[in-house]
Amino acid sequence: MKNIGNSCYMNAALQALSNCPPLTQFFLECGGLVRTDKKPALCKSYQKLISELWHKKRPSYVVPSSLSHGIKLVNPLFRGYAQQDTQEFLRCLMDQLHEELKEPIACHNQEREEEEREEQREMERGTTEDDFLSCDSGGEMGDGEGGGGGVGSLSEMELLIREEAGRSISEKEKLKERRLSYCHRRTSSEQADEDADVDTAMIPEPDNEAYMHCSSRSCSPHPPDSHSKLSSSPPRSSPLRTAHSYVLKKAQVASGGKRRSEVRYRSVISDIFDGSILSLVQCLTCDRVSTTIETFQDLSLPIPGKEDLAKLHSTIHQSAVVKPGACGENYNTQGWLAFLMEYIRRFVVSCIPSWFWGPVVTLEDCLAAFFAADELKGDNMYSCERCKKLRNGVKYCKVLRLPEILCIHLKRFRHEVMYSFKISSHVSFPLEGLNLRPFLAKECVSHVTTYDLLAVICHHGTAGSGHYISYCQNGINGQWYEFDDQYVTEVHETVVQNAEAYVLFYRKSSEDAERERQKVVSLAAMKESGLLQFYISREWLNKFNTFAEPGPISNQSFLCRHGGIPPNKYHYIDDLVVILPQSVWEYLYNRFGGGPAVNHLYVCSICQVEIEALAKRRKTEIDTFIKLNKAFQAEESPGVIYCISMQWFREWEAFVKGKDNDPPGPIDNSKVALTKSGGHVQPKQGCGLWADL
C-alpha cells in the first residue's frame, strides 16, 4: 500500500486485517451483504480495497485513498497528515464497519411468540393445503458475486456446489408462471446482579438498510420478469421443517413510555472480533458480589514492570509447582526429581535472563497482569449497593466468551500531563498455541481456547515520532511477510518472534474444524442424484469455512421471521444463498443444528402487508403534521404553544422517515416537565430538550 502522507499507521493496520481470513473471505464472497445507506459507506471502500489486494491481476501496490478519505469524514482526528496511533485507527475503522453493516436481531417475548403461533394456526385453518406456509421445494440458483480471486474462495465445497447449481430445478418448474409484487424495505455491555434482574438492552439508532423500512419507491410493483427462483405463494410443509431451530435470547425494554422487543445488533465485525468478559466486584464487608458482562473487541494489556513481574512469577511458581507430598500423597525419589527439574526450569526461564538483559516479559505475563485481582481500598473504595457505603472490595475478571480472532493491544505508550513516553520492553509471544484456558470463567461458552498468530503490528521509534510496519502470515502458503508501506518482503518466523509487538492478531486453532470441512467437501463430491437441495446462508457458509466455531446454522440473513424472503432482498437473493445437496445439508444440520431448513424461496406476503400498512401510516402522519404546522405558522399570534419532549419527537421523526419500524408509543414528557401541586405542569429548570409545537 502506498504511503499517502504519514499513513503508515493505516497501512500496517489494513494489512493486518487483510490477512484475517474470516474477514477477508466475507468481503470477497458475501458481497450481497455489503450494503448500506449510511455515509461515508466505508464498508464499500474497504471491500474495494480488499478486492484490489487479493485480485489475481493486482498491481504492485494499491493506493488506499478512498478509505483514507472515508475515515477522515468519520473521525476528524485523522484529518491532515499528522502521525496517528494505529490502535485508535483500528478501533475507529471497526466501529464504523460494524455501524454500517449491523443488522438487528429481533428478540420477542413469550407472549408475542404465542400470539404469532395462534395467528399461524388461524391462517392454517383458513387456507388450503396448497397455500400452507412453509419452505420445502427446490429452486434454481445462479452464481452470486465472487470475490475477484485470492485468499482462496469458499473452499472446494462451494465450487462443487456451484457446478450443480444450474441443474437444481426441473424444466417443468422453470416454466411455472410466477406473479409477484414486492416493496422495499453490541450490546456494548450487560449488567447482571445477584440481587436484581438482568437488563441487557441497548438500542442504537436504527439507520441502515438492514431495517425493513419503506422508502419513496416502497410500494412499486415488481416488473413482469420476476426472479426465477421466487414463487408467488409459500410451498407445502416439509418434514425437515419440524426440526428444532436456533432460538435467540428473549428480553424486553421499555423506552420513553413504549414497550419494544429488545433489539440486538450483529455484524461480521462483531461475529469475528467480539468477546465478552465477566467482571466481578466483591464487598469485603457484606460479601455481596456484583457482576458485569462487558463486550470487547480487543484486550489492552499492561506491560508489567520489574516489581510486578516478580510478584506474578512468584504467584505462578507457587500455584504451578506443587511440592510432592504437599497434599498428603505418597511420594518417592522420582517425584522429588521431577519437582526439582520443573522448579529449576522455571527459575532458569524467568530469573537468569533478567540478570543479563533485564526482565523478560511474556504475553502470558501481560495476560496474567490484566486478569489479576485488584484491591479496591483507600481512594479507590467500592460503593456497595447493599451497605449503601464506600467499602473495601476486590475486583477481578474472567473471559466469558472468546472471539474468533483475538486482538491484543500492548500498552506501550503512556501519556502524562506534560510529556509522553514509550515502554520499549521486549514482550515475547508465541506463534502457535496461545492458551487462554487459565483466564476463562467457569461459565465460558467457548470450547476452542488455543490461538495461533495471524499478524503483528510493530512500532519503531519514540512516543513523539516513529514508523509502523506489520508482519502477517499468508493464509494460502503459510509464509510470513513484512509489510512496510509499498514494500513487501518474505521473512523467517524468527524475525517475527523478535519483533517489538504493539498489536497482535490471534486466530482460534482447531483441527476438528478442518476435518469437518474435508468431510463436507467429500460429501459434495459424491453428486448424488434424485435428492432434495437446500438453500443455506452464504454468510454462515463463510463462517463454516473460516471459523473454528461457526455456531448453529443461521439462515436469518435471507429470511424474515415468517420464513420467507423480505421483499427488499428479492433482487439480490443470489448473493445471499448457496445451494447444498441434501446429504451435505443433513450432515451440517446434524452437526451444528440451527436452521431453518429451506428448499423453496418465496417472498413473504405478510411482510408485504406490514410494510404497506406502515407506509400508509407514515404518509398519513407526516401529511397531517405538515398540514397542521402550516396552519400554525399562518397564525399571527397563537394563543397556546405546547412543548414536547425532544427525545420522543426524534423517535416519531425516525418512524415517519422510515428509519425505525416501531411507532414511538404514547408521548412521554416526564424527563422535561414537572407536575406541581394542583396538577400544574411546567418545564424542568435548565432543561432545553423540547420542541415548540
Side-chain angles (χ1 to χ4, degrees):
M1 293 184 194
K2 183 178 180 181
N3 192 312
I4 53 180
N6 277 338
S7 64
C8 59
Y9 70 92
M10 178 179 68
N11 292 348
L14 292 175
Q15 290 288 11
L17 289 178
S18 172
N19 284 276
C20 294
L23 185 64
T24 295
Q25 289 285 63
F26 172 85
F27 280 95
L28 293 178
E29 300 290 344
C30 304
L33 293 171
V34 185
R35 298 171 182 270
T36 185
D37 57 1
K38 291 187 175 182
K39 303 299 181 182
L42 205 63
C43 60
K44 295 181 180 179
S45 298
Y46 185 78
Q47 182 186 34
K48 180 182 177 183
L49 177 68
I50 292 298
S51 298
E52 291 176 349
L53 284 174
W54 292 98
H55 199 280
K56 292 179 180 178
K57 298 180 180 180
R58 59 187 174 271
S60 58
Y61 64 85
V62 299
V63 184
S65 54
S66 177
L67 192 139
S68 175
H69 178 70
I71 204 73
K72 290 176 181 179
L73 292 175
V74 172
N75 192 336
L77 175 68
F78 300 106
R79 295 174 186 173
Y81 298 97
Q83 294 185 356
Q84 302 293 344
D85 185 84
T86 191
Q87 175 65 5
E88 292 180 358
F89 172 82
L90 276 169
R91 287 179 174 174
C92 180
L93 174 63
M94 290 199 287
D95 285 348
Q96 183 64 22
L97 290 177
H98 171 76
E99 185 67 22
E100 292 181 358
L101 296 174
K102 70 181 181 182
E103 289 205 350
I105 305 174
C107 299
H108 307 281
N109 54 32
Q110 282 188 336
E111 291 82 0
R112 176 60 183 162
E113 286 188 331
E114 185 57 37
E115 290 173 6
E116 290 179 352
R117 285 194 289 268
E118 184 60 31
E119 291 172 1
Q120 182 73 7
R121 287 192 289 268
E122 290 293 332
M123 290 181 63
E124 292 173 9
R125 287 194 288 268
T127 56
T128 63
E129 184 181 0
D130 291 336
D131 292 330
F132 193 80
L133 276 172
S134 61
C135 298
D136 81 335
S137 63
E140 183 180 15
M141 173 59 59
D143 291 341
E145 291 181 5
V151 195
S153 32
L154 275 177
S155 83
E156 300 174 45
M157 180 184 68
E158 184 174 347
L159 296 178
L160 292 168
I161 293 167
R162 286 178 176 175
E163 290 177 4
E164 298 298 313
R167 299 191 287 272
S168 64
I169 190 169
S170 66
E171 290 298 320
K172 182 177 179 181
E173 286 179 310
K174 290 181 181 178
L175 296 176
K176 285 183 179 179
E177 181 181 0
R178 297 178 175 92
R179 300 177 59 194
L180 300 171
S181 63
Y182 306 128
C183 84
H184 182 69
R185 117 153 155 99
R186 166 182 175 226
T187 319
S188 64
S189 65
E190 302 176 6
Q191 298 289 331
D193 194 284
E194 65 175 7
D195 297 323
D197 295 330
V198 181
D199 180 7
T200 59
M202 179 178 179
I203 307 178
E205 181 181 356
D207 186 16
N208 61 20
E209 191 172 337
Y211 276 81
M212 296 175 59
H213 64 267
C214 193
S215 70
S216 58
R217 61 180 184 276
S218 293
C219 299
S220 59
H222 183 59
D225 53 337
S226 55
H227 202 282
S228 60
K229 290 190 296 297
L230 307 180
S231 64
S232 58
S233 62
R236 296 170 185 264
S237 144
S238 166
L240 287 176
R241 185 67 184 275
T242 59
H244 70 278
S245 61
Y246 182 49
V247 179
L248 299 171
K249 184 180 179 181
K250 281 73 176 181
Q252 195 175 62
V253 61
S255 175
K258 64 175 179 178
R259 294 181 73 223
R260 290 175 181 247
S261 296
E262 180 194 6
V263 179
R264 291 176 174 270
Y265 296 89
R266 57 150 297 276
S267 71
V268 63
I269 300 297
S270 61
D271 289 348
I272 295 174
F273 294 99
D274 275 13
S276 58
I277 284 180
L278 179 66
S279 297
L280 304 98
V281 179
Q282 181 177 10
C283 175
L284 296 182
T285 302
C286 68
D287 292 332
R288 177 182 180 273
V289 177
S290 62
T291 62
T292 304
I293 300 174
E294 299 176 346
T295 300
F296 68 89
Q297 281 190 349
D298 60 68
L299 293 178
S300 290
L301 306 184
I303 300 177
K306 189 174 182 179
E307 295 181 359
D308 296 331
L309 204 60
K311 292 179 181 178
L312 284 172
H313 287 172
S314 175
T315 304
I316 292 172
H317 287 177
Q318 293 174 5
S319 61
V321 182
V322 181
K323 189 185 283 190
C327 299
E329 74 277 12
N330 294 325
Y331 59 94
N332 50 29
T333 305
Q334 186 176 3
W336 267 102
L337 182 62
F339 161 73
L340 289 175
M341 292 298 294
E342 175 65 13
Y343 193 88
I344 292 172
R345 185 189 72 80
R346 291 180 179 272
F347 177 79
V348 169
V349 169
S350 62
C351 298
I352 292 181
S354 64
W355 295 346
F356 298 95
W357 300 289
V360 175
V361 183
T362 67
L363 186 61
E364 288 82 356
D365 292 332
C366 299
L367 286 165
F370 179 84
F371 288 103
D374 290 332
E375 294 183 7
L376 305 178
K377 59 183 180 180
D379 294 336
N380 195 29
M381 294 179 72
Y382 164 60
S383 178
C384 179
E385 294 184 9
R386 178 177 291 172
C387 299
K388 306 297 183 182
K389 292 181 179 180
L390 291 175
R391 299 291 194 186
N392 291 337
V394 178
K395 180 181 180 181
Y396 51 97
C397 60
K398 293 288 186 179
V399 178
L400 195 60
R401 181 171 62 86
L402 290 169
E404 185 64 30
I405 289 183
L406 175 65
C407 180
I408 295 177
H409 164 232
L410 298 177
K411 300 166 95 171
R412 290 197 175 275
F413 299 101
R414 292 189 180 178
H415 305 283
E416 305 295 342
V417 178
M418 299 296 295
Y419 64 95
S420 299
F421 64 95
K422 177 184 176 182
I423 301 174
S424 298
S425 304
H426 176 71
V427 178
S428 64
F429 50 89
L431 296 183
E432 296 179 347
L434 175 65
N435 189 4
L436 295 187
R437 184 170 295 278
F439 312 109
L440 301 185
K442 62 180 180 180
E443 302 89 355
C444 181
V445 297
S446 302
H447 300 289
V448 179
T449 61
T450 57
Y451 286 82
D452 295 339
L453 187 67
L454 275 180
V456 54
I457 301 176
C458 305
H459 179 268
H460 301 302
T462 64
S465 64
H467 181 63
Y468 287 100
I469 65 171
S470 61
Y471 295 99
C472 307
Q473 186 180 39
N474 184 277
I476 300 174
N477 59 21
Q479 296 295 322
W480 284 92
Y481 293 88
E482 177 188 276
F483 294 90
D484 185 355
D485 289 333
Q486 61 260 44
Y487 302 104
V488 180
T489 309
E490 184 176 337
V491 296
H492 193 266
E493 61 181 25
T494 55
V495 177
V496 182
Q497 285 180 312
N498 293 324
E500 188 178 297
Y502 180 48
V503 182
L504 302 110
F505 291 83
Y506 279 91
R507 180 186 184 186
K508 278 184 180 178
S509 173
S510 173
E511 295 180 358
D512 292 339
E514 187 58 35
R515 285 193 290 268
E516 295 285 356
R517 296 178 193 122
Q518 293 300 324
K519 175 66 174 177
V520 169
V521 170
S522 301
L523 288 173
M526 293 180 181
K527 300 181 181 180
E528 299 181 19
S529 59
L531 297 177
L532 292 173
Q533 292 182 317
F534 291 83
Y535 296 95
I536 193 170
S537 163
R538 184 179 294 269
E539 184 179 20
W540 187 88
L541 195 59
N542 176 64
K543 286 185 180 180
F544 173 74
N545 281 295
T546 57
F547 281 42
E549 294 182 288
I553 296 171
S554 175
N555 286 330
Q556 302 309 312
S557 63
F558 69 93
L559 294 179
C560 69
R561 61 191 177 93
H562 309 108
I565 301 174
N568 68 306
K569 293 186 177 181
Y570 78 90
H571 58 283
Y572 60 94
I573 190 66
D574 286 345
D575 299 334
L576 305 180
V577 298
V578 173
I579 285 184
L580 297 181
Q582 183 174 353
S583 58
V584 175
W585 163 259
E586 289 179 347
Y587 176 80
L588 290 174
Y589 180 78
N590 291 332
R591 174 67 180 83
F592 297 100
V598 180
N599 55 14
H600 182 85
L601 299 178
Y602 64 93
V603 176
C604 180
S605 59
I606 301 176
C607 287
Q608 168 76 22
V609 172
E610 290 179 351
I611 292 175
E612 289 177 352
L614 279 176
K616 184 177 180 181
R617 175 174 175 176
R618 287 189 178 105
K619 187 176 186 306
T620 301
E621 291 193 10
I622 192 66
D623 288 348
T624 304
F625 177 85
I626 293 174
K627 179 181 177 181
L628 294 175
N629 189 53
K630 285 182 177 179
F632 173 76
Q633 298 295 336
E635 295 185 35
E636 294 183 1
S637 55
V640 179
I641 296 179
Y642 289 92
C643 295
I644 193 172
S645 166
M646 184 63 77
Q647 178 182 351
W648 185 93
F649 184 78
R650 292 303 184 201
E651 291 176 358
W652 175 82
E653 187 180 31
F655 168 68
V656 296
K657 287 184 176 180
K659 296 179 180 180
D660 190 347
N661 282 328
D662 293 329
I667 296 173
D668 180 17
N669 286 332
S670 59
K671 294 183 179 181
V672 297
L674 286 174
T675 303
K676 294 193 173 183
S677 58
H680 179 67
V681 179
Q682 69 178 35
K684 288 183 179 179
Q685 185 176 3
C687 181
L689 300 177
W690 62 73
D692 295 336
L693 298 178

